Amino acid sequence: MAKKLIGAPLIIFSFLFTVFFAFPVLAIQASQEAEQNDARIERIEPAFWWVGMKSNQLQLMVHGNNIADFMPVLTYPGVRIQSLKRVSNRNYLFINLSIARHAKAGKFDIHFKPANLQKLQNSQPAQKPPLKYAYELREREKDSARRIGFNASDVILNLMPDRFSNGDPANDNLPGFLEKTNRTDIDAGRHGGDIQGISQHLDYFASMGYTMLWPTPLTESNQLKYSYHGYAATDTYKIDARFGSNEDYRRMVAAAKRVGIGVIQDVVLNHIGSNHWWMRDFPMKDWLSFDGEFIPTYHARTTANDPYASAIDRKNFTAGWFELDMPDMNQRNALLATYQIQNTIWWIEYAGLAGVRADTYGYSDPAFLAAWSGRVMAEYPHLNIVGEEWSLNPVTVSYWQRGKKNVNGYVSYLPSVMDFPLNDNLRKSLVAEDSMHSGLNDLYEGLTSDTLYPDPMNLVLFEGNHDMSRIFSALNEDFELYKMAMAYVLTMRGIPQIYYGSEILMTSPKTRDDGKFRQDFPGGWAGDKVNAVDGIGLSSQQKEAQIFLKRLMNWRKSQVAIHHGKLLHFAPEQGTYVYFRYDAKHKIMVVLNKNKSAKTLATNRFQEILPRQASAIDVITGNSFDLSTALTIPPRSVLILDVTDGVDVK
């Protein structure tokens, strides 16, 4: 008995030790092993890259359960891991690679070894194989860095893919996507247009005379509502499957090139969609502005260069959220900034793009915008990027263009901006009463703002887009004013951009109504009674508009004086406005007459550019004009005159 009594305390002590000390330790070890066993790589972005890029730096975002507990290792000639960045969320690991100039295209494995076994790896092998990811460095297309972007020799077509043409009805509704197709919902519903629908119309675009295509965003937008427009992305490395696949997009770009059309990608730098995959697992607390708290922007866009703006207003403009379902990204976070820069470059290289259109440009952090535009242009020196700064104030718009010497010292590398001020002048001046202070005089005086722009010839001038009323409606459905507007956009300085459907006089309310601004292109759906491409169901006026635009755009293709020539204009008189586009070899005279009666202008007023014996041919009608003494302009008309004089202009 005594022996048993002596042993009992030892047994009890051993039991208590196991309960209070050993079991928790074993439980922790089991938990750690379970976590490691559950570790996985969900994605690495960018998924692949290229050799021969100007920058030899590449940041990989690795996302996976507990991936920060692993140590990446790779062996490949010319590629090394320069540094690692672990953040507060263990499901992320950022790998900074250095890619030498001599590195060759090929594949290599990145091994992820459990970090707590690194010291033991020589003496005690891991209990399970480490994770690995097959990474690829690809060969660039020949002369990729020397690609020529869009310029003033081009005409850009802006279209909204969901509302343009449904080439593949099979992808309208897909598992896992929240919003289903509802063509009866004009305002917010998805209608089913897709990449295949665009591809099927490439010959139509080329025959019309377009040389550049700008679709609104095609990247995944798996939002509960309003997903059709694409400006609330849920994955910026993936084309929305309801539009098609990444490869479908790439094939469409290649097919467009074969018919002489480049593709411009619409990029959203400022915000993402509220259902973006990041929203379920933030990399860091400050990945979004205001640490993910919804604080709306006041849209005070002038704060960027207003010398009197308060610091809080400046911060609110760039950090405030665009909308509740469009969370604002914090580009002051260096990891996010690099992610976005690489994403843009990835799409340019992968898809073979001719340019980029940057949405809501000024809303992003200014320092980031300088870094983003600078890095992209360094990789592609002859590319073009146009930023959307939706302001009617040319001081605000010009602030962002490359070469502007801003008072506050801000340096931008953005080559082009959308010319919202001149667009507004055009729309208002054509319907206003002509006087010393309104009408065509506003259009004339508006061009003085060009002194603010470092490169006014590289501005994108547009008659309309997906965010504003249709040009025909804005001009009170006056066909003659419509022709003046289209002729102006296509002969004025800068890069012209046309909105889909303008060629067939599509209409809309004048006040903001996005759904009606973005109506379906006739003939893009099976069963449509009107087909704009074939002319079925179009009115005689719609057909005339289409022919007018087609002739003008195809004529424009070969007009170097329009593309790169100088501009000389004369103050409006008697409801008429005359301007010339010219170079050393050629002169084009454009005359607008808003009057309901014919007007005769003495041509000696234009003698500094127009010699006494000049004659001309109207490029639209083919009619001849003697310009030696006077020019009679038909009522409510525009003349585009190819001038013959045999005299060089210096």
Side-chain angles (χ1 to χ4, degrees):
M1 283 293 295
K3 190 174 181 178
K4 290 180 179 179
L5 290 173
I6 292 172
L10 293 175
I11 294 172
I12 294 171
F13 175 79
S14 177
F15 173 77
L16 292 174
F17 177 84
T18 300
V19 170
F20 289 102
F21 294 97
F23 278 178
V25 171
L26 291 173
I28 291 172
Q29 290 176 344
S31 175
Q32 289 176 339
E33 289 177 5
E35 285 184 354
Q36 288 184 357
N37 289 339
D38 191 38
R40 59 191 179 274
I41 297 172
E42 298 287 351
R43 64 175 77 206
I44 290 184
E45 291 177 341
F48 54 84
W49 200 247
W50 295 266
V51 293
M53 303 296 284
K54 183 175 180 61
S55 172
N56 67 344
Q57 303 295 303
L58 176 63
Q59 171 188 287
L60 301 182
M61 171 191 275
V62 187
H63 179 239
N65 191 46
N66 300 312
I67 196 63
D69 294 342
F70 288 74
M71 181 69 70
V73 178
L74 66 86
T75 302
Y76 190 78
V79 180
R80 66 182 179 88
I81 295 176
Q82 192 169 22
S83 63
L84 299 176
K85 177 68 175 178
R86 291 181 172 86
V87 295
S88 56
N89 187 340
R90 292 168 58 214
N91 294 336
Y92 288 87
L93 178 64
F94 293 85
I95 306 174
N96 295 310
L97 298 182
S98 176
I99 304 172
R101 298 294 177 208
H102 64 267
K104 303 295 184 184
K107 294 182 179 180
F108 55 89
D109 288 335
I110 303 177
H111 297 274
F112 293 84
K113 300 181 179 182
N116 62 346
L117 296 179
Q118 290 299 298
K119 294 181 180 179
L120 303 176
Q121 62 182 351
N122 294 326
S123 58
Q124 180 180 337
Q127 298 300 310
K128 55 171 290 184
L131 302 173
K132 69 177 182 179
Y133 183 92
Y135 203 79
E136 182 180 7
L137 290 176
R138 297 184 176 184
E139 198 76 49
R140 300 181 73 181
E141 293 289 333
K142 184 180 178 181
D143 295 326
S144 175
R146 291 192 286 271
R147 71 185 67 200
I148 303 298
F150 60 92
N151 55 51
S153 68
D154 291 302
V155 178
I156 302 170
L157 170 63
N158 168 220
L159 60 79
M160 183 155 277
D162 179 70
R163 304 297 172 89
F164 186 73
S165 177
N166 190 353
D168 182 12
N171 64 21
D172 289 357
N173 298 297
L174 297 173
F177 284 88
L178 301 174
E179 189 173 22
K180 307 304 178 183
T181 302
N182 181 7
R183 199 180 175 198
T184 62
D185 185 350
I186 296 175
D187 184 34
R190 293 192 75 92
H191 291 190
D194 49 32
I195 290 172
Q196 188 167 323
I198 296 173
S199 297
Q200 291 170 351
H201 285 77
L202 291 175
D203 287 339
Y204 170 71
F205 301 152
S207 69
M208 283 295 298
Y210 296 109
T211 59
M212 287 287 161
L213 178 63
W214 157 32
T216 51
L218 287 158
T219 47
E220 183 188 273
S221 181
N222 193 6
Q223 295 284 107
L224 185 62
K225 58 182 181 178
Y226 287 99
S227 67
Y228 76 93
H229 58 64
Y231 287 101
T234 55
D235 191 330
T236 59
Y237 272 104
K238 184 189 296 182
I239 295 295
D240 194 297
R242 291 165 294 183
F243 289 138
S245 66
N246 283 17
E247 282 302 305
D248 289 334
Y249 178 58
R250 193 180 186 197
R251 282 190 289 268
M252 184 268 285
V253 174
K257 285 182 183 177
R258 289 194 290 271
V259 296
I261 297 174
V263 175
I264 300 166
Q265 187 171 56
D266 204 335
V267 172
V268 186
L269 300 171
N270 179 66
H271 51 267
I272 54 175
S274 55
N275 202 38
H276 191 286
W277 65 270
W278 282 332
M279 302 298 286
R280 297 185 292 275
D281 195 23
F282 285 127
M284 305 164 69
K285 183 181 179 182
D286 68 345
W287 200 251
L288 297 181
S289 296
F290 294 113
D291 293 342
E293 179 185 357
F294 172 57
I295 296 179
T297 178
Y298 302 142
H299 303 281
R301 48 181 47 84
T302 58
T303 55
N305 60 334
D306 178 359
Y308 312 113
S310 63
I312 192 170
D313 285 346
R314 283 199 183 96
K315 179 179 179 180
N316 172 269
F317 174 55
T318 58
W321 290 28
F322 203 69
E323 289 183 9
L324 180 60
D325 59 351
M326 294 180 176
D328 193 275
M329 287 183 280
N330 176 25
Q331 291 132 351
R332 290 166 295 284
N333 182 307
L335 296 172
L336 172 63
T338 300
Y339 180 96
Q340 287 190 287
I341 291 168
Q342 292 181 169
N343 179 258
T344 301
I345 294 172
W346 188 90
W347 278 112
I348 294 170
E349 194 70 28
Y350 168 74
L353 301 175
V356 172
R357 182 260 184 185
D359 180 69
T360 54
Y361 191 76
Y363 286 84
S364 291
D365 179 73
F368 161 76
L369 290 174
W372 175 81
S373 57
R375 174 79 184 277
V376 173
M377 294 308 298
E379 290 287 356
Y380 307 97
H382 308 295
L383 194 78
N384 208 349
I385 308 173
V386 59
E388 180 204 32
E389 178 53 78
W390 194 342
S391 172
L392 304 184
N393 185 344
V395 174
T396 300
V397 178
S398 64
Y399 177 78
W400 300 107
Q401 192 178 28
R402 179 175 62 187
K404 183 65 180 291
K405 297 186 183 302
N406 290 303
V407 174
N408 63 5
Y410 181 75
V411 177
S412 176
Y413 300 96
L414 180 73
S416 177
V417 286
M418 306 292 293
D419 197 346
F420 279 92
L422 194 55
N423 166 272
D424 187 63
N425 277 343
L426 176 64
R427 287 174 162 238
K428 291 178 177 177
S429 66
L430 290 180
V431 295
E433 196 73 29
D434 281 293
S435 70
M436 184 183 297
H437 303 294
S438 67
L440 291 174
N441 204 59
D442 282 343
L443 197 58
Y444 169 77
E445 292 184 354
L447 284 169
T448 61
S449 297
D450 280 11
T451 59
L452 299 171
Y453 297 102
D455 188 5
M457 296 297 178
N458 201 32
L459 302 179
V460 172
L461 176 59
F462 55 103
E463 46 81 25
N465 63 29
H466 57 281
D467 286 326
M468 57 179 56
S469 62
R470 291 278 180 178
I471 185 67
F472 190 49
S473 297
L475 300 177
N476 302 323
E477 299 190 17
D478 186 314
F479 186 47
E480 302 307 328
L481 292 181
Y482 159 86
K483 288 193 288 187
M484 292 182 204
M486 304 308 279
Y488 183 87
V489 169
L490 290 164
T491 59
M492 182 45 60
R493 59 94 181 111
I495 307 167
Q497 176 250 294
I498 308 296
Y499 187 39
Y500 81 97
S502 291
E503 77 272 29
I504 55 166
L505 307 178
M506 287 178 68
T507 59
S508 73
K510 292 183 180 180
T511 54
R512 186 73 188 246
D513 191 330
D514 288 348
K516 291 185 174 64
F517 295 169
R518 306 163 182 174
Q519 294 183 53
D520 296 345
F521 187 68
W525 280 255
D528 283 1
K529 294 180 180 179
V530 178
N531 189 312
V533 174
D534 297 334
I536 298 172
L538 294 181
S539 69
S540 58
Q541 192 175 68
Q542 286 178 306
K543 291 179 181 178
E544 184 181 348
Q546 195 174 44
I547 292 170
F548 174 83
L549 207 58
K550 184 175 183 178
R551 285 178 180 169
L552 185 51
M553 291 196 296
N554 279 288
W555 165 82
R556 190 187 187 279
K557 285 182 178 180
S558 61
Q559 302 304 308
V560 178
I562 297 292
H563 303 164
H564 308 297
K566 298 178 181 179
L567 169 65
L568 177 68
H569 66 164
F570 295 80
E573 60 172 334
Q574 305 177 58
T576 66
Y577 178 32
V578 177
Y579 60 89
F580 289 80
R581 298 300 309 282
Y582 67 97
D583 59 19
K585 297 180 179 179
H586 207 179
K587 304 186 191 74
I588 303 296
M589 180 180 186
V590 183
V591 188
L592 307 180
N593 178 17
K594 284 175 59 182
N595 297 285
K596 294 181 180 179
S597 59
K599 287 293 178 182
T600 299
L601 302 178
T603 54
N604 62 359
R605 184 186 179 205
F606 316 119
Q607 63 182 351
E608 64 189 270
I609 189 170
L610 196 62
R612 294 179 182 177
Q613 302 304 316
S615 61
I617 296 176
D618 184 356
V619 303
I620 299 298
T621 65
N623 294 333
S624 298
F625 292 83
D626 179 1
L627 304 179
S628 58
T629 57
L631 171 64
T632 300
I633 318 149
R636 304 287 281 179
S637 67
V638 56
L639 297 178
I640 304 172
L641 303 177
D642 191 336
V643 177
T644 302
D645 58 38
V647 179
D648 287 345
V649 178
K650 301 301 182 185

